[in-house]
Amino acid sequence: MKDSVTITIPSHPGYLSMVRDVTARFGEIHNLSEAVIADLKLGVDEACSNVIKYAYRGATEGEIVITLRIMGKDLEVIIEDEGVRADPACIEGRNLDDVRPGGLGLHLIKRAFHVYEFDEGRRSGNRLRLVRHLR
Amino acid sequence: MTIEMDKYRDATVMRLSGEIDMYSSPGLRKELLSLVAERVSPLIVDFRGVSYIDSSGIATFVEGLKGMRSFGGRLKFVAVPEGIMEIFTFSKLDRVFEIYGSADEALSG
C-alpha cells in the first residue's frame, strides 16, 4: 500500500470541510490518537485557508493540491497552489498576548506540525511542507 | 453551522451548532455584529453543538467581544466543548472570554 493520499480542491472555503474530513480519515487509518487528529485537521485547514486568503486573495477559481503521506515515523503534508508567492520572511503570527482578531492561524499550524517550510526553489505558486513527528 | 436565537431570563442566547470555519464564520460575524449594533447584552453564546472552530471563528468572537465592550455589554460563553476549550487556552483567549458551564452560571457570574 502506498501510504499517501492526494486531493485537489478549488480555492473555495466551502471545500475546507472536505480537507478536514480527508485528513481525519487518513489519521484514523494510521491509528493516530483523537488529539493528534484534531491538531492535524486544524493545522491543515489553517494552511489551506491561508492559501485562499493570501495566495489566491479570495479568488475561488484557483486550485489547491493537498498530499498527505506517511514517511517512516512522520506524517508529511504538502500543500501546493499556483497563487501569489508567499514571502516566508514576512509570515509571522501575532503575539498571543496581543488579543485582536487575526494572526492566530500560523500558531495553530505550528502547534500541529514540527516542520513548516516553503519550497523556495519553486518557480511559481507555493509549495508548503508540513511534518508531524508521530513518535 | 446553524445559529438559533433564544431568550433565557434576561439574556439573549445564541445557540451554535456544527463547524465554524472560514466558510461559515462570515454568517456568524454578520449575526454577532448586528447584535452588537443593537447593543444586545448580556449575550450568551452556547457552544454545546459546536464540533469545530478555526482561527476565523475565533477572530469573529474577538471582534464581537471588542464591540460588546465598546458599550459596556457582556459576551458570555457557555458549554464550550473540551477540544474548543483547548484552542481558547492555547491562544490565551480563556483569559479574555467569559466562559461558564451553563447559562445559569453565566447569569450569576
Side-chain angles (χ1 to χ4, degrees):
Chain A
M1 176 182 161
K2 186 180 174 189
D3 285 333
S4 76
V5 168
T6 298
I7 60 167
T8 302
I9 61 161
S11 57
H12 187 294
Y15 289 90
L16 292 172
S17 62
M18 195 175 284
V19 176
R20 295 195 297 273
D21 288 347
V22 170
T23 303
R25 196 75 193 99
F26 189 80
E28 286 164 13
I29 288 168
H30 291 284
N31 298 314
L32 304 186
S33 70
E34 280 184 27
V36 170
I37 290 172
D39 279 356
L40 296 173
K41 270 171 66 177
L42 185 55
V44 174
D45 175 302
E46 293 289 348
C48 291
S49 294
N50 282 348
V51 171
I52 295 170
K53 271 189 284 191
Y54 303 115
Y56 289 118
R57 299 186 173 169
T60 55
E61 63 271 21
E63 225 174 49
I64 308 173
V65 181
I66 303 114
T67 300
L68 301 105
R69 62 177 155 236
I70 298 292
M71 307 271 286
K73 293 178 180 175
D74 292 339
L75 185 148
E76 182 186 66
V77 181
I78 304 290
I79 299 174
E80 296 168 288
D81 67 72
E82 289 298 331
V84 177
R85 295 292 303 276
D87 180 355
C90 295
I91 298 173
E92 59 177 336
R94 66 166 160 81
N95 181 334
L96 290 175
D97 290 313
D98 173 20
V99 177
R100 58 181 167 79
L104 186 58
L106 185 62
H107 290 291
L108 295 173
I109 298 169
K110 289 186 173 176
R111 178 179 187 256
F113 294 98
H114 300 98
V115 175
Y116 170 93
E117 62 186 14
F118 281 94
D119 177 355
E120 296 187 47
R122 193 176 160 106
R123 289 189 172 190
S124 65
N126 300 286
R127 183 177 189 273
L128 175 64
R129 178 172 174 262
L130 304 169
V131 177
R132 168 89 177 206
H133 303 317
L134 298 176
R135 297 178 200 84
Chain B
M1 181 201 65
T2 59
I3 302 173
E4 285 177 27
M5 299 306 300
D6 199 359
K7 282 278 184 188
Y8 183 72
R9 292 165 50 184
D10 295 331
T12 299
V13 181
M14 174 186 270
R15 294 188 207 287
L16 302 177
S17 58
E19 299 186 317
I20 306 172
D21 67 359
M22 189 187 184
Y23 183 55
S24 58
S25 61
L28 172 63
R29 181 177 182 272
K30 187 178 174 189
E31 186 70 30
L32 190 57
L33 295 188
S34 80
L35 294 167
V36 168
E38 292 167 23
R39 299 194 165 206
V40 169
S41 177
L43 174 63
I44 294 176
V45 180
D46 188 332
F47 279 80
R48 200 173 316 271
V50 178
S51 54
Y52 179 83
I53 191 166
D54 74 353
S55 66
S56 70
I58 291 170
T60 298
F61 285 115
V62 171
E63 190 179 4
L65 178 64
K66 293 205 165 185
M68 280 286 184
R69 285 181 173 172
S70 70
F71 68 91
R74 302 280 295 274
L75 177 65
K76 303 182 178 202
F77 294 171
V78 301
V80 178
E82 190 181 331
I84 291 171
M85 193 65 211
E86 276 178 25
I87 304 298
F88 287 163
T89 303
F90 169 77
S91 51
K92 300 188 178 181
L93 292 169
D94 57 327
R95 306 175 192 174
V96 178
F97 293 137
E98 291 185 58
I99 300 172
Y100 302 90
S102 67
D104 284 320
E105 279 178 35
L107 291 176
S108 58

